[in-house]
Structures are given as structure tokens and as C-alpha cells.
Amino acid sequence: AVNMMLKKFIKSLSVGTLVALSISSQSFASAWDDYKAKYLQQDGAIVDTGNNNMSHSEGQGYGLMFALAYDDKESFEKILNWTNQNLKDPKSGLFYWSYRRDGSDPIPDKNNATDGDLFIAWTLIKAGKKWQNKAYLKQGETLANIVTTLTATKVGGYNVVLPGVSGFFYDNYVVVNPSYFIYPAFKDLANYTYIKLWKELSSDGKKLLNNLSGQKIKLAPDWLELHADSTNLPAPQWPSRSSYDAIRVPLYLYWADPNCPELQVYKTYYASFDANNTPAWVDVVTEEKANYFMSSGLKAVRDLVMGKVILEPEITKSEDYYNASLSMLAYLAYLDNH
């Protein structure tokens, strides 16, 4: 009888309540515990197991966000300290994009990655507000301001963030990565700083998605060339695919607003395949598709966009860093909107 009553009680709870209960309970191993065990080193570095065990500003930003979501102050501080000590560029105030363990110089490339900087700034401000930590707020706001000063520009009528300070600005065009437009970060930074540019980056990023040209399939490509006359095309230096980078575009769109109209093209495209047999990538120019299916992290984003309930992910031993991170991000995006 007690079991029956318990089952009825659980059934009466909303999905959102159950998910919230699962994330708040410290009595059993969580996805964050599993994630830490696999990818977080004792010194605070997140290790990309699918990429020569390098660390990068993106992974450090994700780690900070997961630690915040699970109210893990100790891990948050450890990740932040390693990031500040090993990736901070003393000249620009941004973060070097990668830390490599397979050579004599761990930072051979002194460029930043704007998505990593944005993610860290956004998470610091969220953490500062949640934990009432003024140092986090100050560092987050300072970093956000540097991002706008050094990486934001206007080309062809669009306010955009360049992927890095160096290497993406040409005579009459720029190269952008649509997955570096982190819409929930833009939204929160606009609300916190009252700086108009964050709203403009969000609205112009979406406008650009609505005006993709030179491609048959209107999904965001991994890399995009934007010209001074406002024309755009998939950047020719990379395959013209919507793939492992661009999968974050619908993730971030949903995270900021699950009902945003820019998600419709993804819903329509995904609906043309079986849930478990969606190709891992598509060439947006030729329509060629991968002959293998979405891995777990990509599928988590697909499920999120298609309106499925996203439960706390199970991070298996075979999971690589990026798939695990995408699954965790999809879960947090779901939680933030339910």
C-alpha cells in the first residue's frame, strides 16, 4: 500500500518538479559527479578527451556553468582559478583559447575564442548573483566589456562577434561562427549591464539566420562568410556543413527562448528523419548528408528542439567530452525553461 501511495505521489508531480528534485539531491551520484570524474582534473582543468586531452576556454566555461547549476562552489572556484592562472591573456584580458599538453609550449596560439570568453563572463555574472559574490560579478562584467570592445563589430548592417581577435577580419568581409552567438548569454548580459549592444547582437544574429544565402538548406553552417554588402555564404575554408559546431545554434536559441521563430527551420528539418536516425551533419549547399547518425550530445539538442522532456543525462564511460557537454547543456537549457 505504501508503494502504491508513493507511485501515485510521484505521478502527481510535474516533470519540472521531478527534474528539479533530481538536480538538487546530493544523496546520489549526479551527472555532474560523473562529468567531474571523467573530465575535471584535480588542478581545475577540464580535459577534452576527444581532442588530445587539451583544455580550452570553452570547456572551462562549460565546467563553470555545470558547477554553478549543481551549486558546487568548490569546483567552481577550482575551475576558475586554473582558468585565470593558465589561460588569461595579461595584455587583452581575454582568455587564450587552448592549452595543449602534447608539446613543449602549452599555449602555441595566443588567440582567444570568443564563445569561451562569453560563456565565462556570463557564468561569472550568474554565479555572482546566485552566491552574492562581488568578485565574480566584477570579473564577469569586465570580461563582457572586453568582449564587446575587442570582438564585436558591425558588417553589412549586422552587429556580430568575431570568433577571435585575430584572423577573421578581411578587406571586405568577416568570418563568423554562428554557434558563438550565445543567445541566453546575450539576454542575461543585456539585462545585467543595460548595454544596448547585447540586444543588438542577439537580434542581428537571428536576422542573419533568417537571411542565410548561397545554400539550399537554411540551417546555420559551422562557419559563415559575411560581406560588407550584407551577402553571406558558408565560409569556403571549411566544409559547408551544419555540423558539430552549428548544433549549438538551436541549443542557444532554445535556451534563450523555446518559442523563437528561428527554431522552426530546425524542427522541420529534424522532423524529416526518425529520432534515432538523424544524420550527424548535412552539407547546406549540396544537401549531402553524413552516412552515420547523430551521437548522444547532438541527439540531446535535437530532442530539446523537438519538445521532448530532457532528463538528467547519463554520462557513460565511452562518452567523450563534447557529447557529454552538449547533453549537459541541453539539460540546463530545458531546466531554465520549465
Side-chain angles (χ1 to χ4, degrees):
V2 173
N3 279 345
M4 285 296 291
M5 287 173 66
L6 185 60
K7 284 180 181 176
K8 282 183 179 177
F9 170 69
I10 290 172
K11 276 190 176 178
S12 73
L13 294 174
S14 70
V15 169
T17 306
L18 285 170
V19 171
L21 284 172
S22 78
I23 200 169
S24 64
S25 173
Q26 301 299 315
S27 61
F28 55 87
S30 66
W32 174 230
D33 291 323
D34 294 337
Y35 189 99
K36 284 192 293 185
K38 283 206 69 175
Y39 315 112
L40 177 60
Q41 293 192 326
Q42 281 301 313
D43 60 5
I46 301 285
V47 173
D48 185 343
T49 56
N51 205 354
N52 293 328
N53 287 332
M54 68 187 288
S55 295
H56 34 60
S57 57
E58 167 206 285
Q60 298 305 113
Y62 292 168
L64 289 171
M65 180 63 79
F66 304 151
L68 174 65
Y70 282 84
D71 210 30
D72 183 352
K73 292 181 184 178
E74 183 184 348
S75 294
F76 188 96
E77 189 67 18
K78 189 162 69 170
I79 295 166
L80 181 62
N81 285 341
W82 186 91
T83 309
N84 283 330
Q85 288 166 16
N86 293 279
L87 294 181
K88 188 86 172 276
D89 179 352
K91 291 181 182 175
S92 71
L94 299 173
F95 292 100
Y96 301 127
W97 79 273
S98 69
Y99 184 96
R100 299 178 181 274
R101 295 175 175 82
D102 54 359
S104 55
D105 180 4
I107 305 177
D109 184 353
K110 301 297 190 280
N111 209 4
N112 71 306
T114 303
D115 66 326
D117 295 319
L118 260 175
F119 223 97
I120 293 168
W122 174 38
T123 307
L124 279 166
I125 288 172
K126 285 171 73 76
K129 289 166 70 176
K130 180 178 179 179
W131 292 329
Q132 298 182 320
N133 185 311
K134 289 182 180 177
Y136 292 165
L137 287 171
K138 185 178 178 182
Q139 185 181 354
E141 190 169 2
T142 300
L143 180 56
N145 287 337
I146 298 170
V147 168
T148 61
T149 303
L150 297 184
T151 75
T153 188
K154 193 164 189 175
V155 178
Y158 296 96
N159 288 284
V160 297
V161 285
L162 297 178
V165 171
S166 305
F168 300 97
F169 210 118
Y170 299 88
D171 285 344
N172 65 339
Y173 69 91
V174 294
V175 171
V176 297
N177 186 315
S179 75
Y180 284 25
F181 287 62
I182 306 174
Y183 295 101
F186 293 163
K187 183 179 178 181
D188 286 354
L189 289 168
N191 290 336
Y192 182 75
T193 65
Y194 300 102
I195 292 172
K196 187 177 155 192
L197 179 60
W198 294 115
K199 285 188 176 179
E200 292 171 343
L201 286 167
S202 183
S203 59
D204 286 359
K206 292 174 184 175
K207 187 168 78 172
L208 191 52
L209 293 177
N210 289 322
N211 292 322
L212 293 172
S213 57
Q215 50 187 86
K216 292 178 181 175
I217 295 177
K218 300 299 184 179
L219 305 183
D222 291 338
W223 295 90
L224 187 72
E225 195 173 279
L226 173 62
H227 287 252
D229 65 0
S230 83
T231 58
N232 63 80
L233 69 156
Q237 302 98 306
W238 291 271
S240 51
R241 294 174 180 171
S242 186
S243 180
Y244 295 95
D245 267 14
I247 190 68
R248 293 175 295 188
V249 174
L251 166 68
Y252 294 147
L253 287 169
Y254 179 101
W255 200 334
D257 176 10
N259 301 308
C260 83
E262 288 75 22
L263 281 170
Q264 188 54 52
V265 66
Y266 289 91
K267 293 177 183 176
T268 302
Y269 175 77
Y270 292 154
S272 65
F273 303 96
D274 179 78
N276 295 312
N277 299 319
T278 305
W281 53 260
V282 59
D283 188 307
V284 295
V285 175
T286 67
E287 300 186 81
E288 178 194 1
K289 296 170 182 66
N291 59 4
Y292 49 94
F293 302 127
M294 282 183 162
S295 50
S296 57
L298 279 68
K299 189 173 180 300
V301 175
R302 181 200 188 282
D303 290 346
L304 178 76
V305 170
M306 297 304 283
K308 295 189 177 181
V309 173
I310 307 298
L311 297 175
E312 189 177 32
E314 288 184 31
I315 297 170
T316 63
K317 288 183 179 179
S318 62
E319 205 83 280
D320 66 27
Y321 147 83
Y322 191 57
N323 276 290
S325 297
L326 285 176
S327 296
M328 291 282 281
L329 292 169
Y331 177 52
L332 297 190
Y334 181 83
L335 282 184
D336 270 4
N337 286 287
H338 289 84

